[in-house]
Amino acid sequence: IRHIPGHPQRAMALLIESGQYHRTISRRRTQLQRKWQVLTDALEEFVPWEIHSPPGGVSIWIRGPEGLDCVQLAAEALKAGVVIERGDVFFDDPESNRNYFRLGFAAIKLEAIRPGIKELGRVIAGLPS
């Protein structure tokens, strides 16, 4: 069985022993919780569909109504400066799942989340029914 060299193992052990590792994890968890809360609140306010958000993670999957084309939504959202991930590409049958998309929030600045979701809501409202 192969293992990583001793120097990186020792460096990691020193980082954990110093307490910095646990402080960093705690700080990051708090940051992600804040972002998640802002995102879920904004989705509830600006997106017209019922969304079931998981209690954690770094992204939220959204199932839009039947007939929603996430390919078109992603393109229109991008024109408005909002990046969403098409969900269809994650399914064995992409054509039958074009109403799914994913919103990642870990790398987004907290203050950009609410305005971005407000803009996404505007884009959704402008899609053909």
Side-chain angles (χ1 to χ4, degrees), residues 22-54:
H22 293 291
R23 285 189 294 276
T24 300
I25 295 296
S26 178
R27 184 174 50 252
R28 188 66 178 139
R29 183 179 296 125
T30 299
Q31 291 168 348
L32 288 172
Q33 285 173 338
R34 283 190 198 128
K35 288 180 177 187
W36 180 90
Q37 190 63 60
V38 169
L39 177 59
T40 57
D41 289 348
L43 286 169
E44 189 174 312
E45 184 175 352
F46 299 117
V47 174
W49 313 311
E50 185 176 343
I51 298 170
H52 302 284
S53 303

Side-chain angles (χ1 to χ4, degrees), residues 39-51 62-65 68 73 101 103 116-122 124-125:
L39 177 59
T40 57
D41 289 348
L43 286 169
E44 189 174 312
E45 184 175 352
F46 299 117
V47 174
W49 313 311
E50 185 176 343
I51 298 170
I62 297 174
R63 178 181 179 202
L68 172 69
L73 176 59
F101 63 98
L103 297 173
I117 298 302
K118 184 176 183 179
E119 186 63 22
L120 179 61
R122 189 191 65 71
I124 289 169

Side-chain angles (χ1 to χ4, degrees), residues 2-92:
R2 298 190 67 192
H3 57 82
I4 65 169
H7 290 302
Q9 290 182 48
R10 174 90 172 121
M12 189 64 180
L14 290 171
L15 179 67
I16 291 170
E17 186 178 286
S18 75
Q20 186 59 41
Y21 174 78
H22 293 291
R23 285 189 294 276
T24 300
I25 295 296
S26 178
R27 184 174 50 252
R28 188 66 178 139
R29 183 179 296 125
T30 299
Q31 291 168 348
L32 288 172
Q33 285 173 338
R34 283 190 198 128
K35 288 180 177 187
W36 180 90
Q37 190 63 60
V38 169
L39 177 59
T40 57
D41 289 348
L43 286 169
E44 189 174 312
E45 184 175 352
F46 299 117
V47 174
W49 313 311
E50 185 176 343
I51 298 170
H52 302 284
S53 303
V58 294
S59 63
I60 293 179
W61 276 91
I62 297 174
R63 178 181 179 202
E66 294 298 324
L68 172 69
D69 183 350
C70 71
V71 176
Q72 179 186 11
L73 176 59
E76 294 300 318
L78 188 58
K79 287 179 193 174
V82 178
V83 178
I84 67 170
E85 275 189 281
R86 296 171 33 185
D88 62 324
V89 297
F90 292 94
F91 289 89
D92 286 339

